[in-house]
């Protein structure tokens, strides 16, 4: 009887399949741009209620806060003001939430009681609040402002701003590096930390700059922590100096809020120290620390300082993963940490006394963890699913999906099946990757290949839902997607990450070649005779390198912001510590290291059609690199196209620009593969 029921069900499903397939859509850029995005996730102190923001696609004025009853699943909209809210935090008593909003014209701190009544403005500073952090009893807050170094008051900064705006000439003048960063030319102003007394029942208008004389920025609000008694504040920053462009020596500084004296707690370590966090019981200060100077991709290890004895120890120093973020668990005996791990971004518990590391969750990309009782609340996405909120017990059991914010938008969208694979790459070592089938895959058919190469180079194309390089968009176009985490990728151990330094065109290229051979042998639906390689930044560098060193590998190549000439790149990029680590020092001292893997040296071998794309505001890989590649292609008579985005930086972010970016990419692939 059971067999009969199953057979009948199967026949019924088969009868419905043609209609279901007819109703099925695939992911488009417009649909991607319209997806709801969850942010500012936080759990109430008693664990009963979540608060989070939802940005509804690209709609202006549609970014509001929601309350989510964990037990019942009931959701209600909390705010509806046309000005959005961000940086949400629960009050300690669970009776309200703090947030930033510009609903009165400038970005200020607000408090919304959940027992009834309107939101109250907590601060009214003459400058925009760019971030905040509350102390434990909510009597003080740290704020971020952009100010003129040396100014002791807001009025002083306002005068400096007015003076800059009144200048009749249009010049920039510098006496030291950096002169520009990411997508902006630097000016005379810096981001500083201010501290102020606050209250839910009055408006605060004054605050004190704790680093007034520093002509440098602090590292951001995630890099600030108040001590349990509120008497001290720790933050991460580079000490003032002229060498910021070529070192990675961020330190942990502690401010005595009675005297405002600043102490450097990590002066002995010349590598990167970040993310100070005090324990809630006042016993510890923890931070994450690298060991290798002038290196941004070294392993972050947890350091814990006993505030009673002053002793500092490395915790779980032999654990071969780099901590992305962490927080003390409620018992202060362990921390909950996020770290990349074998193509995932996972949640771990680390015992601070014994260094024992326990995996809590390891499927997809997790982040934004909140803790309440024995439960963790976090965001998670993977290759086929955008971000939602989940909960899991601290022992790793009882995973629950709490939100489905794109249920309606994705109801009829067919996503490509995906799977992680592993093969033997350089030196017969294990290398991982992912394949994604076309969204409307049919057994027995062969599909052209989109071979995506990640940037970094110390990065990963792991199990994530990416908005700028979304594998499902290629799957929707009928391509089989292949992504290989070659030597140099993150999440596979520090030696694996380090192995790319000084060998940009060696191990990674061999991994990519072996990965392609492996996957087309194992997955017969992939058509090796029709393949296009794509990459950005270091991935774009690899496109230029492939042109000269795997010149018959693909039917077409797409290069976004790729390094072309290593000498000129060194002289125009802003973060000099990056090339100086990976190539052992400045270009003039180590010319042979830069030249060995310089794509411009191998242009005699170039012959594949290439699309070159670039943002003109990109100061990480300035647009001269793309012009150099395109000029070479044109003079050699190779089919090529240059697409410039004047208002974009290293990434294409604006929705209409992103839509055009994908249109150009898909048109190039269509022309050369189909």
């Amino acid at each position: 009887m059971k067999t009969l029921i199953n057979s009948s069900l199967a026949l019924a499903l088969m009868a419905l399949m043609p209609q279901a397939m007819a109703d099925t859509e695939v992911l488009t850029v417009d649909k991607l741009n319209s997806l709801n995005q969850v942010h500012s996730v936080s759990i109430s102190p008693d664990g009963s209620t979540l608060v989070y923001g939802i940005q509804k696609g690209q709609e202006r004025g549609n970014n509001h806060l929601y309350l989510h009853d964990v037990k019942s699943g009931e959701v209600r909209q909390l705010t509806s003001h046309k000005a959005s809210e961000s940086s949400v935090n629960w009050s300690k008593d669970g009776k309200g939430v703090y947030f930033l909003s510009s609903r009165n014209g400038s970005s200020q701190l607000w408090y919304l009681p959940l027992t009834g009544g309107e939101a109250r403005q907590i601060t009214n500073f003459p400058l925009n609040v760019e971030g905040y952090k509350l102390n434990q009893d909510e009597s003080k807050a740290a704020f971020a402002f952009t100010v003129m170094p040396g100014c002791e008051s807001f009025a002083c900064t306002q005068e400096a701003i007015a003076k800059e705006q009144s200048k009749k000439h249009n010049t920039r003048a510098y006496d030291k590096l950096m002169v520009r960063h990411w997508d902006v030319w630097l000016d005379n102003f810096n981001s500083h930390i201010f501290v102020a007394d606050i209250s839910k029942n009055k408006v605060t208008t004054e605050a004190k700059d704790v680093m007034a004389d520093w002509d440098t920025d602090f590292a951001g609000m995630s890099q600030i922590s108040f001590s349990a008694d509120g008497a001290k504040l720790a933050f991460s920053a580079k000490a003032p100096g002229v060498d910021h462009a070529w070192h990675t020596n961020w330190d942990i500084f502690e401010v005595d809020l009675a005297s405002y004296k600043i102490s450097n707690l990590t002066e002995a370590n010349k590598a990167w120290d970040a993310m100070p966090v005090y324990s809630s019981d006042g016993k510890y200060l923890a931070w994450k620390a690298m060991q290798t100077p002038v290196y941004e991709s070294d392993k972050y290890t947890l350091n814990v300082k006993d505030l009673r004895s002053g002793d500092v120890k490395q915790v779980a120093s032999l654990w071969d993963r780099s901590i992305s973020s962490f927080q003390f668990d409620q018992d202060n005996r362990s921390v909950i940490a996020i770290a990349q791990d074998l193509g995932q971004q996972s949640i771990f518990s680390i015992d601070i006394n014994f260094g024992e590391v326990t995996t809590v969750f390891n499927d997809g990309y997790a982040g934004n963890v909140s803790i309440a009782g024995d439960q963790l609340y976090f965001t998670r996405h993977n290759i086929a699913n955008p971000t939602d909120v989940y909960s899991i017990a601290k022992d790793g059991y009882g995973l629950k999906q709490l939100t489905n914010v794109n249920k309606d938008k994705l109801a009829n969208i067919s996503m490509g099946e995906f799977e992680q694979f592993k093969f033997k790459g350089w030196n017969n070592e294990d290398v991982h990757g992912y394949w994604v089938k076309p969204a409307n895959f049919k057994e027995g058919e062969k599909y052209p290949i989109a071979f995506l190469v990640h940037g970094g180079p110390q990065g990963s194309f792991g199990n994530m839902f990416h908005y700028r390089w979304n594998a499902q968009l290629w799957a929707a176009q009928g391509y089989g997607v292949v992504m290989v985490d070659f030597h140099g990728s993150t999440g596979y151990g520090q030696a694996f990450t380090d192995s790319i330094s000084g060998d940009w065109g060696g191990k990674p290229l061999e991994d990519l070649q072996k990965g392609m051979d492996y996957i087309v042998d194992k997955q017969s639906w992939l058509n090796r005779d029709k393949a296009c390689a794509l990459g950005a930044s270091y991935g774009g560098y690899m496109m230029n390198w492939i042109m000269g060193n795997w010149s018959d590998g693909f039917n077409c190549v797409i290069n976004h912001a790729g390094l072309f000439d290593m000498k000129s790149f060194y002289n125009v990029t802003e973060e000099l510590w990056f090339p100086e680590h990976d190539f052992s020092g400045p270009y003039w001292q180590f010319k042979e290291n830069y030249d060995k893997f310089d794509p411009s040296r191998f242009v005699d071998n170039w012959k594949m059609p290439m699309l070159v794309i670039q943002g003109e505001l990109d100061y990480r890989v300035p647009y001269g690199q793309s012009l150099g590649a395109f000029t070479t292609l044109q003079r050699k008579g190779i089919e090529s196209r240059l697409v410039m985005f004047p208002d974009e930086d290293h990434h294409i972010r604006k929705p209409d620009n992103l839509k055009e970016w994908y249109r150009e990419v898909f048109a190039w692939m269509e022309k050369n593969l189909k």
Side-chain angles (χ1 to χ4, degrees):
M1 186 65 179
K2 183 177 180 181
T3 302
L4 178 61
I5 292 173
N6 288 343
S7 298
S8 299
L9 179 60
L11 289 170
L13 290 173
M14 289 176 65
L16 291 172
M17 280 180 64
Q19 180 61 42
M21 290 181 66
D23 293 341
T24 297
E25 303 173 17
V26 294
L27 189 65
T28 65
V29 184
D30 283 335
K31 181 66 72 174
L32 182 72
N33 284 338
S34 76
L35 292 181
N36 297 325
Q37 298 185 40
V38 179
H39 64 88
S40 302
V41 179
S42 184
I43 188 69
S44 61
D46 64 2
S48 67
T49 311
L50 280 167
V51 63
Y52 48 79
I54 296 180
Q55 167 65 53
K56 293 192 174 181
Q58 304 301 324
E59 297 178 41
R60 291 186 177 181
N62 209 336
N63 184 358
H64 303 302
L65 301 181
Y66 293 79
L67 282 181
H68 184 121
D69 187 288
V70 172
K71 187 175 181 180
S72 70
E74 180 184 353
V75 179
R76 69 179 177 92
Q77 187 169 328
L78 183 60
T79 61
S80 58
H81 198 281
K82 64 180 180 180
S84 63
E85 298 84 20
S86 62
S87 303
V88 185
N89 286 285
W90 283 91
S91 61
K92 186 177 181 180
D93 60 13
K95 295 181 179 180
V97 293
Y98 295 90
F99 57 84
L100 293 182
S101 179
S102 57
R103 53 180 62 192
N104 267 4
S106 66
S107 176
Q108 301 294 331
L109 180 64
W110 293 73
Y111 173 77
L112 178 61
L114 300 181
T115 52
E118 296 296 319
R120 308 168 191 163
Q121 188 170 345
I122 302 300
T123 66
N124 189 17
F125 298 116
L127 301 177
N128 283 315
V129 175
E130 296 164 358
Y132 75 98
K133 183 69 66 72
L134 301 169
N135 73 343
Q136 204 167 126
D137 66 5
E138 299 167 22
S139 63
K140 293 182 183 292
F143 297 96
F145 296 103
T146 296
V147 297
M148 174 65 75
C151 281
E152 295 286 347
S153 67
F154 290 125
C156 175
T157 288
Q158 289 177 292
E159 291 172 8
I161 293 172
K163 183 177 180 180
E164 286 290 315
Q165 293 174 341
S166 68
K167 288 181 179 178
K168 295 182 178 180
H169 59 85
N170 185 16
T171 58
R172 299 186 183 102
Y174 301 91
D175 297 306
K176 64 177 183 178
L177 293 174
M178 297 177 176
V179 300
R180 57 185 187 176
H181 191 239
W182 198 250
D183 63 352
V184 296
W185 286 86
L186 300 185
D187 54 28
N188 295 321
F189 298 85
N190 292 107
S191 181
H192 279 191
I193 304 166
F194 285 64
V195 173
D197 294 328
I198 64 167
S199 169
K200 297 174 186 174
N201 300 312
K202 69 175 184 178
V203 177
T204 297
T205 59
E206 296 294 331
K208 181 174 179 59
D209 189 342
V210 304
M211 48 189 295
D213 294 331
W214 290 34
D215 62 345
T216 185
D217 302 319
F218 77 103
M221 295 311 299
S222 65
Q223 310 281 324
I224 289 179
S225 181
F226 278 101
S227 61
D229 60 5
K232 295 181 178 180
L233 176 79
F235 67 94
S236 175
K238 285 184 175 181
V242 298
D243 54 356
H244 285 192
W246 59 88
H247 78 72
T248 58
N249 188 21
W250 273 266
D251 280 311
I252 305 300
F253 296 89
E254 188 175 62
V255 187
D256 184 314
L257 295 179
S259 65
Y260 288 96
K261 179 182 178 182
I262 298 178
S263 303
N264 187 343
L265 303 183
T266 59
E267 189 171 9
N269 182 29
K270 303 306 179 183
W272 203 321
D273 298 285
M275 197 171 285
V277 181
Y278 288 99
S279 63
S280 62
D281 60 5
K283 294 180 179 179
Y284 305 105
L285 172 64
W287 65 90
K288 59 181 189 176
M290 295 183 179
Q291 302 298 312
T292 306
V294 197
Y295 189 22
E296 64 182 5
S297 298
D298 193 19
K299 186 185 77 164
Y300 271 125
T301 297
L302 183 68
N303 281 14
V304 177
K305 179 178 182 178
D306 188 315
L307 297 177
R308 297 157 296 183
S309 67
D311 294 338
V312 178
K313 67 175 181 179
Q314 288 189 338
V315 178
S317 60
L318 298 181
W319 181 49
D320 201 8
R321 293 295 180 265
S322 183
I323 294 173
S324 174
S325 63
F326 74 95
Q327 59 191 293
F328 277 97
D329 201 350
Q330 291 176 321
D331 63 4
N332 292 301
R333 297 175 182 175
S334 60
V335 302
I336 303 298
I338 298 288
Q340 286 184 300
D341 181 43
L342 301 178
Q344 322 295 327
Q345 184 162 281
S346 306
I347 303 175
F348 300 90
S349 177
I350 307 174
D351 186 296
I352 64 172
N353 291 312
F354 301 104
E356 181 181 358
V357 180
T358 304
T359 301
V360 179
F361 181 77
N362 188 35
D363 183 10
Y365 264 54
N368 304 301
V369 178
S370 295
I371 307 171
D374 64 352
Q375 294 288 310
L376 304 180
Y377 300 84
F378 62 99
T379 58
R380 178 248 188 184
H381 56 91
N382 66 14
I383 288 175
N385 295 281
T387 299
D388 270 300
V389 183
Y390 295 75
S391 67
I392 196 169
K394 292 176 184 176
D395 60 8
Y397 291 95
L399 177 70
K400 295 179 182 178
Q401 182 173 345
L402 301 179
T403 68
N404 193 353
V405 299
N406 288 293
K407 181 179 179 180
D408 294 338
K409 291 179 178 291
L410 296 177
N412 296 317
I413 300 296
S414 176
M415 295 288 190
E417 176 189 347
F418 68 93
E419 186 173 288
Q420 190 174 37
F421 63 93
K422 182 172 67 174
F423 64 95
K424 297 297 182 181
W426 174 84
N427 198 34
N428 209 38
E429 295 178 2
D430 286 345
V431 176
H432 292 74
Y434 279 93
W435 56 252
V436 184
K437 286 184 176 179
N440 289 329
F441 177 81
K442 295 180 181 178
E443 200 69 47
E445 291 191 9
K446 280 187 172 289
Y447 295 90
I449 300 170
F451 193 69
L452 274 55
V453 180
H454 71 70
Q458 294 90 354
S460 172
F461 266 158
N463 189 9
M464 69 178 77
F465 194 83
H466 207 297
Y467 277 82
R468 288 177 285 101
W469 284 78
N470 192 294
Q472 291 292 345
L473 285 177
W474 278 275
Q477 295 289 317
Y479 296 104
V481 182
V482 177
M483 302 176 287
V484 173
D485 269 356
F486 47 81
H487 275 79
S489 299
T490 50
Y492 304 92
Q494 195 57 41
F496 192 88
T497 299
D498 293 345
S499 66
I500 197 173
S501 298
D503 195 26
W504 274 27
K507 304 179 191 74
L509 179 63
E510 186 173 334
D511 287 345
L512 293 172
Q513 291 171 325
K514 288 183 174 180
M516 176 66 95
D517 289 344
Y518 172 86
I519 203 63
V520 296
D521 177 62
K522 297 297 182 182
Q523 303 296 326
S524 59
W525 50 273
L526 291 169
N527 187 350
R528 182 63 182 92
D529 295 329
K530 292 186 176 182
C532 191
L534 313 85
S537 194
Y538 172 83
Y541 162 91
M542 183 51 70
M543 297 304 104
N544 288 328
W545 187 251
I546 283 172
M547 289 285 286
N549 295 275
W550 192 7
S551 58
D552 58 352
F554 298 91
N555 302 84
C556 61
V557 173
I558 299 174
N559 163 16
H560 178 97
L563 289 71
F564 170 71
D565 178 86
M566 299 307 291
K567 177 181 179 181
S568 63
F569 166 73
Y570 174 82
N571 286 315
V572 295
T573 194
E574 11 84 292
E575 293 182 350
L576 289 175
W577 65 75
F578 168 60
E580 289 191 7
H581 173 270
D582 273 25
F583 297 97
S584 302
Y587 177 82
W588 67 85
Q589 291 181 355
F590 296 92
K591 180 177 181 295
E592 65 281 2
N593 293 354
Y594 289 82
D595 289 351
K596 182 178 180 181
F597 294 113
D598 186 339
S600 67
R601 292 181 56 237
F602 298 90
V603 296
D604 286 349
N605 299 331
W606 284 27
K607 58 186 179 184
M608 293 180 287
M610 180 189 279
L611 171 65
V612 182
I613 315 178
Q614 179 80 47
E616 289 185 28
L617 298 179
D618 185 352
Y619 302 148
R620 182 62 41 82
V621 181
Y623 66 76
Q625 298 294 303
S626 288
L627 288 178
F630 182 65
T631 298
T632 299
L633 291 159
Q634 288 285 298
R635 288 295 286 121
K636 289 179 67 66
I638 299 171
E639 182 183 359
S640 51
R641 179 174 173 82
L642 174 67
V643 179
M644 301 293 290
F645 288 87
D647 56 348
E648 296 283 7
D649 55 27
H650 199 52
H651 305 303
I652 307 301
R653 307 176 193 272
K654 298 179 180 179
D656 290 335
N657 286 346
L658 188 63
K659 185 176 179 180
E660 181 62 12
W661 187 91
Y662 276 113
R663 190 197 66 78
E664 288 280 1
V665 166
F666 294 149
W668 191 255
M669 296 178 71
E670 176 86 16
K671 179 180 180 180
N672 288 281
L673 295 182
K674 294 184 178 180

